[in-house]
């Protein structure tokens, strides 16, 4: 499978790392159109993918991913369509530009998708939400799914849910990172080595998440299984609630969603 990708920054770079790490796609099968920054060249020092400024070269790939900033999506598509000699599927991985807007540039029959991955794709443990254009063929759908599934779970969703999916899955890791950092600081406050504190925090978060996924239990039920009456855990939870832990989390997601309006 030969992949073209515009942009090798945080998300584009994470996807490239995940594809290569999967051992299903070799660096030589990834064609990158880098931007004005140095991120693509720096990444290329570790992963010897192909890089080009010649847009004609993208006629040689099977699908094209756009991992550029939101304001650049439509201009890049407009430039790219002048060079493509066939309907190679184009997948945007940026929020804020719906499939319908891309179709206005490429036409109603062009195979288009919008996918929202998150940074854990770089270790093949991401989750990606995807919206396909109505006219896309099943063969193109399968090819895109197969490519993205190398990076983790892929969920097809409706276009009206893409923003909340991207907020929860895409921004959520930063919330978890702040939470783990705070847990680490608390452990250090009580004498634990920082490296060990971060390891324990990360394994605890990972294990708790996997326990919920595997048992399919409600998170409240799992919480109840840890909180004994009058015990230490419920006292800690009460302290978190006193400081508005849940409300702060909900408010964080809501603030991001409001920024899209």
């Amino acid at each position: 499978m030969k992949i073209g990708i515009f942009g090798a920054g945080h998300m584009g770079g994470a996807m490239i790392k995940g594809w290569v790490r999967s051992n299903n796609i070799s660096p030589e099968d990834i064609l990158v159109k880098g931007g004005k920054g140095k991120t693509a060249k720096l990444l290329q020092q570790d992963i010897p993918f192909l890089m080009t400024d010649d847009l004609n070269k993208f006629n040689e790939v099977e699908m094209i991913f756009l991992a550029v900033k939101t304001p650049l999506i439509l201009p890049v598509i407009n430039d790219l369509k002048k060079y493509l000699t066939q309907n190679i599927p184009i997948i945007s991985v940026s929020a804020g530009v719906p499939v319908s807007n891309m179709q206005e540039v490429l036409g109603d029959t062009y195979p288009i998708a919008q996918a929202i991955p998150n940074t854990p794709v770089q270790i093949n443990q991401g989750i990606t939400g995807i919206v396909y254009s109505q006219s896309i063929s099943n063969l193109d759908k399968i090819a895109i799914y197969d490519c993205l599934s190398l990076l983790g779970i892929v969920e097809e969703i409706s276009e009206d849910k893409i923003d909340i999916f991207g907020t929860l899955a895409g921004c959520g890791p930063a919330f978890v990172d702040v939470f783990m950092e705070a847990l680490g600081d608390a452990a250090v406050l009580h004498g634990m080595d920082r490296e060990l504190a971060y390891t324990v925090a990360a394994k605890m978060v990972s294990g708790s998440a996997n326990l919920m996924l595997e048992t399919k239990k409600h998170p409240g039920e799992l919480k109840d299984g840890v909180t004994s009456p009058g015990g230490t855990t419920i006292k800690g939870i009460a302290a978190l609630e006193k400081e508005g832990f849940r409300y702060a989390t909900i408010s964080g997601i809501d603030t991001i969603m409001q920024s899209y309006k």
Side-chain angles (χ1 to χ4, degrees), residues 36-110:
K36 295 180 181 179
K38 298 179 180 179
T39 53
K41 290 183 179 178
L42 288 173
L43 183 59
Q44 193 183 37
Q45 293 176 9
D46 296 323
I47 303 174
F49 51 76
L50 305 178
M51 193 155 57
T52 184
D53 287 322
D54 183 0
L55 297 187
N56 285 300
K57 291 288 186 181
F58 286 88
N59 283 300
E60 302 171 8
V61 302
E62 296 172 50
M63 64 190 71
I64 299 170
F65 289 87
L66 306 181
V68 297
K69 294 179 180 178
T70 299
L72 297 178
I73 292 292
L74 295 181
V76 166
I77 289 175
N78 195 50
D79 285 342
L80 186 56
K81 73 174 185 177
K82 302 171 188 175
Y83 293 87
L84 296 180
T85 59
Q86 51 189 319
N87 285 355
I88 298 171
I90 292 178
I91 306 99
S92 165
V93 297
S94 295
V97 182
V99 166
S100 56
N101 287 10
M102 292 187 281
Q103 284 183 315
E104 290 177 5
V105 179
L106 292 167
D108 291 340
T109 61
Y110 198 96

Side-chain angles (χ1 to χ4, degrees), residues 139-259:
L139 285 177
D140 284 335
K141 271 188 175 184
I142 291 169
I144 294 169
Y145 176 87
D146 287 346
C147 183
L148 288 173
S149 64
L150 296 175
L151 305 176
I153 296 170
V154 181
E155 294 282 354
E156 183 174 355
I157 57 175
S158 59
E159 193 165 43
D160 65 324
K161 297 297 188 293
I162 193 71
D163 286 343
I164 184 57
F165 184 98
T167 299
L168 182 58
C171 303
F175 288 26
V176 175
D177 291 338
V178 170
F179 177 52
M180 289 191 294
E181 185 179 29
L183 289 171
D185 284 344
V188 170
L189 177 65
H190 288 274
M192 184 178 282
D193 172 77
R194 183 167 292 279
E195 183 176 356
L196 177 60
Y198 286 154
T199 298
V200 173
K203 290 296 291 183
M204 179 275 296
V205 169
S206 174
S208 298
N210 285 330
L211 180 62
M212 188 184 81
L213 290 172
E214 290 192 21
T215 63
K216 300 188 184 304
K217 289 184 178 180
H218 187 282
E221 183 181 357
L222 293 172
K223 178 264 296 178
D224 291 347
V226 184
T227 50
S228 303
T232 54
T233 304
I234 193 62
K235 290 177 182 177
I237 288 176
L240 288 174
E241 294 293 1
K242 182 180 179 181
E243 298 300 325
F245 181 70
R246 288 192 214 208
Y247 180 79
T249 304
I250 294 169
S251 181
I253 295 291
D254 187 55
T255 298
I256 295 170
M257 290 297 294
Q258 293 298 326
S259 70

